[in-house]
């Protein structure tokens, strides 16, 4: 359905940034259904070798970082230190950067909270690549979990089959949203042996204990537990996903391994058949796929505690020297973590913790129990995925975002204006050899290192916003003046006569192209996006093209009879439904606009 979106997505997969992927680079341009990450039999082998491939790549083969204007560095807010920090890769890694983002538990369709998280980290991924870093981006799937088992039992479906089905649905959602595929997508069930081995190390190091086939992490045994979330030992309670178990030494102790229950998938372990706890999955997969220390770990703010706090504890307890006062073995983690900046200490495994804010719906936290829960599929059935993405990047990733229909109406209106402007600019530039040559020259000039370092122009303005902790709303605000200037050059008499018009249009178009690629909003065929936006506007209005044509004729007849009041009634009726009438020299036409009744209903409810 979203042909233009897919075109822009695939073009962006190969065009954003100078640095390619460390693993799976050759497959990036292929349709996502053919990517090796979707073939379970190949994933484990590919994943296991990713860290070795990255380590073996000579630093000379890594692309040089794009130069930034003087005094400008990439700043990221580190949840652990609670402040913005200058991002720098580890000193022994050259320009190689590892980024792990917690993925979904695949038992249902993804919701707008997932969209918020993965669009945010997609922009961060694009930004890092644009700056010249060779990024290995990993996003996992939890494909064994209590919720998966319960949903499968209710549906009469095998749990792993249900998980595979919703993995495919998740990929379809991410493609709609224009998110670049990660380099690797490990599935929890493919790393059970690595989880068992890690749990055994934690037991051997004195930080976990087995009870009746279950294994629990001993929170009190690890000094510093709670520093990521800011919780003290007294504040800690049992994890939200489990009931209090009297067998545990402490209420905050959490499950590393769960003993087998009838009807559940199980694996063998030294403690008997069972399955892993939720938290151990990411710790083990990160260690196996990326190594003991990674640069960036991301996820939603709701994951700070307990999930990421427990990940940090597990990884510390399984590594070499840790803050319990004992050296449990090789101290490679401490050596790696101390290289470069980042908030890590000697027993860290993540150097920069990044977390996106919550999604609220009509100013209330999104929740199934409140009935304000929306899946991505439900939203894009009414609004274009580009409108949803524009809405999401309109708020800085760490801040809470308020989802309302009015906000989506406004986002849809704005993206129509954006793609109409791009389509008009493209038509002028593609109308002759002079315009085509001007665009080619502008793109070449923009790609030169001097352009990125100049500190002036749209690209520099957007880059300055994004390198300040990924300030996407400020980046979007930078589009307003160039879009207005472009429309003046295309449509006004003065603009059409302006000296150097084609060169100015070409420079603006090339800058917009690069900046929109950074935000995941570029489309090779903006006309197709405009058509899709029009079709969705008709759907929301409950009207067909023939009905609008009839209304336009009715209005024209009233104007011809000088009954301007009746003509206004027709215009306002359509406008309230989100259909804006436009009188042009070529005749009367229409375009989508914000539905006034939505704004009125939400104002009344506020």
């Amino acid at each position: 359905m979203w042909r233009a979106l897919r075109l822009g997505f695939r073009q962006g997969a190969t065009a954003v940034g100078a640095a390619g992927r460390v693993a799976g680079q050759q497959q990036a341009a292929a349709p996502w259904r053919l990517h090796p990450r979707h073939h379970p039999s190949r994933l484990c082998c590919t994943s296991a070798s990713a860290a070795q491939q990255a380590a073996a790549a000579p630093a000379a083969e890594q692309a040089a970082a794009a130069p930034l204007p003087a005094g400008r560095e990439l700043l990221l807010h580190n949840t652990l230190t609670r402040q913005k920090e200058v991002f720098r890769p580890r000193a022994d890694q050259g320009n190689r950067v590892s980024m792990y983002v917690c993925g979904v538990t695949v038992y249902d369709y993804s919701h707008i909270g997932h969209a918020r998280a993965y669009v945010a980290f997609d922009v961060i991924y694009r930004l890092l690549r644009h700056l010249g870093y060779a990024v290995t981006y990993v996003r996992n799937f939890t494909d064994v979990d209590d919720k998966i088992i319960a949903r499968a039992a209710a549906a009469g479906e095998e749990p792993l089959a249900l998980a595979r089905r919703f993995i495919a649905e998740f990929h379809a959602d991410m493609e709609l949203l224009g998110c670049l595929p990660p380099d690797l997508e490990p599935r929890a069930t493919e790393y059970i042996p690595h989880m068992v081995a890690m749990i055994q190390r934690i037991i051997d190091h004195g930080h976990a204990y087995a009870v009746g086939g279950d294994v629990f992490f001993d929170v009190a045994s690890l000094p510093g537990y709670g520093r990521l979330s800011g919780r003290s030992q007294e504040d800690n309670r049992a994890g939200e996903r489990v009931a209090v178990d009297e067998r545990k030494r402490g209420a905050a102790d959490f499950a590393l391994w769960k003993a087998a229950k009838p009807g559940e998938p199980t694996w063998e372990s030294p403690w008997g058949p069972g399955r892993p706890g939720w938290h151990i999955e990411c710790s083990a997969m990160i260690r196996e796929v990326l190594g003991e220390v990674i640069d960036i770990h991301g996820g939603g703010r709701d994951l700070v505690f307990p999930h990421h706090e427990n990940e940090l504890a597990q990884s510390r307890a399984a590594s070499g020297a840790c803050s319990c006062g004992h050296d449990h073995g090789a101290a490679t983690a401490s050596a790696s973590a101390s290289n470069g900046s980042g908030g890590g200490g000697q027993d860290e495994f993540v150097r920069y913790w990044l977390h996106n804010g919550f999604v609220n719906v009509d100013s209330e936290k999104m929740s199934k129990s409140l009935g304000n829960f929306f899946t991505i599929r439900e939203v894009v059935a009414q609004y274009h995925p580009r409108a949803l993405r524009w809405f999401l990047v309109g708020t800085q990733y760490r801040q809470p975002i308020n989802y309302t229909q009015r906000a989506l109406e406004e986002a849809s209106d704005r993206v129509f204006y954006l793609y109409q402007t791009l389509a008009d600019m493209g038509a002028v530039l593609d109308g002759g050899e002079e315009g085509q040559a001007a665009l080619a020259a502008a793109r070449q000039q923009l790609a030169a290192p001097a352009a990125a370092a100049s500190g002036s122009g749209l690209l520099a303005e957007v880059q300055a916003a994004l390198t300040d902790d990924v300030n996407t709303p400020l980046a979007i605000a930078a589009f307003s003046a160039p879009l207005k200037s472009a429309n003046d050059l295309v449509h006004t008499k003065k603009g059409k006569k302006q000296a150097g018009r084609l060169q100015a249009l070409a420079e603006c178009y090339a800058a917009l192209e690069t900046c929109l690629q950074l935000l995941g909003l570029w489309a090779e065929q903006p006309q197709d996006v405009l058509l899709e936006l029009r079709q969705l506007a008709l759907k929301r209005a409950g009207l067909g093209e023939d009905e609008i044509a009839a209304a336009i004729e009715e209005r024209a007849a009233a104007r011809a009879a000088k009954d301007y009041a009746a003509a206004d009634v027709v215009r306002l009726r359509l406008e309230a439904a989100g259909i804006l009438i436009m009188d042009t020299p070529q005749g009367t036409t229409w375009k989508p606009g914000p539905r006034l009744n939505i704004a009125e209903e939400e104002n009344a409810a506020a």
Side-chain angles (χ1 to χ4, degrees), residues 253-601:
D253 293 357
F254 56 90
L256 298 176
W257 186 261
K258 298 181 179 183
K261 295 179 182 178
E264 294 187 356
T266 61
W267 289 263
E268 291 300 320
S269 80
W271 320 284
R275 58 186 175 89
W278 176 37
H279 310 299
I280 195 67
E281 296 175 7
C282 290
S283 290
M285 287 188 285
I286 287 173
R287 186 185 184 98
E288 181 63 22
V289 174
L290 294 173
E292 290 192 3
V293 179
I294 64 172
D295 295 299
I296 295 172
H297 194 333
R301 189 175 299 277
D302 57 319
L303 296 182
V304 175
F305 186 88
H307 186 49
H308 286 170
E309 190 73 71
N310 291 346
E311 270 191 59
L312 176 57
Q314 293 163 161
S315 296
R316 289 170 56 204
S319 68
C322 84
S323 57
C324 70
H326 299 285
D327 187 342
H328 300 306
T332 55
S334 61
S336 298
S338 61
N339 279 324
S341 63
Q346 284 199 333
D347 54 359
E348 294 303 336
F349 85 114
V350 173
R351 299 174 61 248
Y352 300 86
W353 290 91
L354 309 184
H355 293 95
N356 63 274
F358 292 118
V359 173
N360 298 322
V361 177
D362 294 324
S363 300
E364 288 187 300
K365 184 179 178 182
M366 186 180 70
S367 168
K368 288 185 177 180
S369 62
L370 294 175
N372 62 355
F373 178 88
F374 298 100
T375 66
I376 296 171
R377 299 290 174 89
E378 290 171 329
V379 175
V380 299
Q382 295 290 323
Y383 296 95
H384 200 285
R386 297 293 179 123
L388 177 56
R389 185 165 180 126
W390 181 278
F391 161 72
L392 293 171
V393 299
T395 299
Q396 200 267 352
Y397 79 99
R398 288 192 297 110
Q399 305 306 315
I401 188 169
N402 192 34
Y403 173 92
T404 65
Q405 273 195 287
R406 178 170 54 182
L408 277 179
E409 291 282 334
E410 293 170 353
S412 187
D413 181 57
R414 192 62 184 170
V415 296
F416 189 91
Y417 169 71
L418 168 67
Y419 293 117
Q420 185 66 67
T421 303
L422 289 171
D424 293 344
M425 295 171 71
V428 172
L429 292 169
D430 199 42
E433 292 183 1
E434 186 179 354
Q436 295 169 10
L439 181 56
R443 283 170 169 161
Q444 185 176 6
Q445 181 180 2
L446 197 65
S454 66
S456 62
L458 175 62
L459 177 57
E461 193 173 347
V462 168
Q463 190 169 260
L466 295 180
T467 53
D468 185 9
D469 197 27
V470 199
N471 193 336
T472 51
L474 188 59
I476 283 178
F479 295 151
S480 295
L483 290 173
K484 182 182 183 304
S485 298
N487 276 300
D488 288 343
L489 289 169
V490 171
H491 297 294
T492 67
K493 290 182 180 179
K494 181 180 178 181
K496 291 177 180 179
K497 296 179 180 179
Q498 181 174 314
R501 173 179 180 247
L502 289 178
Q503 181 181 350
L505 274 176
E507 290 174 356
C508 182
Y509 190 92
L512 285 167
E513 180 180 19
T514 299
C515 294
L516 289 169
Q517 285 173 350
L518 274 170
L519 295 172
L521 287 164
W522 175 248
E524 282 294 295
Q525 302 295 333
Q527 299 89 341
D528 290 347
V529 180
L530 293 171
L531 177 60
E532 292 162 355
L533 286 164
R534 287 168 64 93
Q535 292 170 341
L536 283 169
L538 291 174
K539 182 178 180 180
R540 293 194 298 271
L543 297 170
E545 286 277 10
D546 56 340
E547 293 172 284
I548 293 181
I552 289 175
E553 290 181 8
E554 179 186 354
R555 175 175 174 267
R559 285 163 61 99
K562 300 189 183 303
D563 189 351
Y564 299 111
D568 282 345
V569 168
V570 176
R571 177 180 58 82
L572 292 173
R573 184 176 73 241
L574 292 175
E575 187 175 336
I579 306 298
L580 303 183
I581 298 298
M582 299 184 298
D583 295 312
T584 73
Q586 293 76 34
T588 301
T589 184
W590 69 274
K591 71 173 185 177
R595 287 182 291 168
L596 298 180
N597 58 333
I598 291 294
E600 291 167 0
E601 290 170 8

Side-chain angles (χ1 to χ4, degrees), residues 52-70:
Q52 296 172 345
Q53 291 178 34
E61 294 179 6
Q62 306 302 319
L68 291 169

